[in-house]
Amino acid sequence: MKKVTIKDVAREAGVSVTLVSFVMNAKMGKDGRLDCPVKPETAARVLKVARKLGYRRNAAAASLRSGRSNTIAVIPTDISNKFFAGISRYIEDKAFSYGYTVLFGSSEESAERLDAVMDTVLAYNIDGVIVAPVQGGMPAISKAINSNIPVVLLDRDMEGLEDVGKVLLDDVEAGKMATNHLLGKGYKKIEMISYTLGISTIKEREEGYKVAMKEAGFEENINIQYTTYGDAKADVAHFVKDAIARGVEALFLPTYSVCAQTLAVMKENGIKTPKDLALVGFDESDVYSLYENSVAHIVQPLRELGEKSVQVLRNMIEKEPGETTIILKPSLMDGGSADK
């Protein structure tokens, strides 16, 4: 079958090749219309003809001509993680509304893998990148910055990076909110199980926990048990049993994965919540409602995080005014796991 060209579209639509080029290379404006100097009804006719003929725009050639690919990269730590999977859906939808295609690649919490993924997406002449930083990942992110590619940090901050956008959760507030919820229920011996990832989100949630405990006068009860992704199953089992033996009343679990591990350990060992151990977890999950007592948890605004990250990146790409740092507020969903 003969390949359909831009000349074929122009001939069928009764317009010039230049006009077709304007339409096919235009991006979607904020008003939902193509941003090009062509009447909307004419642009619609050209697009209809292009679809009928099966015309496909040569993105590589267009990118070389314009210096733009209308493609952005999104690099979460783990695309299968419930948090990043949910947020990626909103990112993709918002990006599409602006005329961008999205490339995804996970770093798996590895600086080396982030570096490799960054090299790959930069080779595609991307217009910008949204990335969740990992420990040791500054050199990889700096590659994009040094190539004049706009960068937005999503969910996690990284000190020392300049000229980047940021869309983050107020994680200190999230830690305080979770801890104060347990304190308000009458619990005093409240501890945490956390990860040794060295990332801003975890550190700030821990800081919020410490602040709330100090303000309530229970500084002596502050205790954080640390694990790694690889050792979490065994460590969490030990931490939970040890906590109960020491008379710990409640746990704040600052990620969905550590909360899921804790719930699994409690189920395997017949430990009830809140009877034996009260809990406040993190992120939303259908699993939380399946327990005899639903799990209280901190809710992150996934839609806002995803859409705002795309908006900030688009403004940076287009060099339009707008906020480059956005801090969003968490909320708390109450549940039986925090009752007393």
Side-chain angles (χ1 to χ4, degrees):
M1 182 181 292
K2 179 185 175 184
K3 181 179 179 181
V4 178
T5 69
I6 196 170
K7 291 181 180 179
D8 297 324
V9 176
R11 183 169 53 251
E12 181 76 11
V15 298
S16 69
V17 170
T18 300
L19 188 145
V20 174
S21 180
F22 277 138
V23 173
M24 301 310 299
N25 289 292
K27 290 201 295 185
M28 195 70 70
K30 292 183 178 180
D31 59 359
R33 296 184 177 185
L34 290 177
D35 185 12
C36 66
V38 178
K39 292 181 179 179
E41 57 270 24
T42 303
R45 186 171 82 251
V46 169
L47 290 173
K48 183 177 180 180
V49 169
R51 284 193 294 270
K52 184 182 79 170
L53 297 179
Y55 172 73
R56 294 290 182 270
R57 174 175 171 269
N58 188 326
S63 174
L64 288 173
R65 289 193 299 269
S66 68
R68 293 283 187 87
S69 64
N70 291 345
T71 301
I72 64 172
V74 178
I75 312 177
T77 57
D78 179 2
I79 196 68
S80 69
N81 177 284
K82 288 184 68 66
F83 169 74
F84 285 117
I87 227 171
S88 293
R89 175 75 273 172
Y90 296 121
I91 287 174
E92 190 170 26
D93 288 346
K94 192 65 175 180
F96 182 79
S97 75
Y98 286 140
Y100 291 106
T101 299
V102 184
L103 302 178
F104 289 96
S106 299
S107 68
E108 299 295 337
E109 297 290 358
S110 164
E112 292 75 18
R113 181 154 173 169
L114 174 59
D115 190 70
V117 172
M118 188 66 77
D119 282 342
T120 299
V121 297
L122 289 177
Y124 278 87
N125 191 32
I126 56 170
D127 295 335
V129 58
I130 297 170
V131 58
V134 301
Q135 190 171 26
M138 185 178 291
I141 298 173
S142 295
K143 285 183 178 181
I145 297 170
N146 294 336
S147 298
N148 295 315
I149 302 297
V151 173
V152 172
L153 305 184
L154 173 63
D155 181 51
R156 304 173 175 183
D157 201 358
M158 178 169 274
E159 294 182 5
L161 287 177
E162 298 181 357
D163 301 320
V164 296
K166 300 178 182 181
V167 179
L168 312 169
L169 183 74
D170 188 340
D171 282 297
V172 173
E173 179 60 26
K176 290 176 65 177
M177 185 180 289
T179 309
N180 282 328
H181 186 66
L182 290 167
L183 289 165
K185 297 284 187 176
Y187 297 103
K188 301 176 182 179
K189 296 180 180 179
I190 304 168
E191 296 188 0
M192 284 184 70
I193 298 176
S194 193
Y195 284 122
T196 57
L197 292 175
I199 57 175
S200 65
T201 50
I202 302 295
K203 289 180 178 179
E204 290 173 6
R205 291 168 198 174
E206 291 169 3
E207 180 61 26
Y209 156 73
K210 292 175 184 177
V211 169
M213 292 294 283
K214 289 177 183 177
E215 289 178 349
F218 300 122
E219 185 172 0
E220 71 278 4
N221 292 340
I222 293 174
N223 188 39
I224 303 174
Q225 302 275 21
Y226 289 98
T227 186
T228 64
Y229 272 119
D231 298 324
K233 185 174 183 179
D235 284 348
V236 170
H238 169 72
F239 294 157
V240 170
K241 294 173 185 177
D242 177 64
I244 291 175
R246 290 186 291 104
V248 174
E249 300 172 316
L251 292 175
F252 166 40
L253 306 166
T255 72
Y256 168 73
S257 57
V258 78
C259 187
Q261 288 280 6
T262 301
L263 290 169
V265 166
M266 293 175 70
K267 184 176 182 180
E268 289 171 6
N269 292 273
I271 301 169
K272 302 294 185 179
T273 181
K275 178 183 176 183
D276 302 313
L277 198 60
L279 303 174
V280 172
F282 220 93
D283 291 324
E284 296 182 88
S285 172
D286 292 339
V287 172
Y288 291 162
S289 62
L290 298 180
Y291 284 78
E292 183 178 347
N293 289 295
S294 59
V295 179
H297 56 279
I298 295 294
V299 179
Q300 301 195 69
L302 298 189
R303 179 184 290 274
E304 280 189 276
L305 285 164
E307 293 184 350
K308 292 293 186 183
S309 66
V310 177
Q311 290 171 5
V312 170
L313 185 64
R314 181 187 181 277
N315 288 343
M316 293 173 70
I317 293 169
E318 301 295 339
K319 295 181 172 56
E320 293 183 359
E323 292 180 279
T324 56
T325 297
I326 296 176
I327 310 295
L328 299 174
K329 294 295 183 182
S331 59
L332 187 140
M333 180 67 68
D334 199 0
S337 68
D339 289 341
K340 194 167 186 177

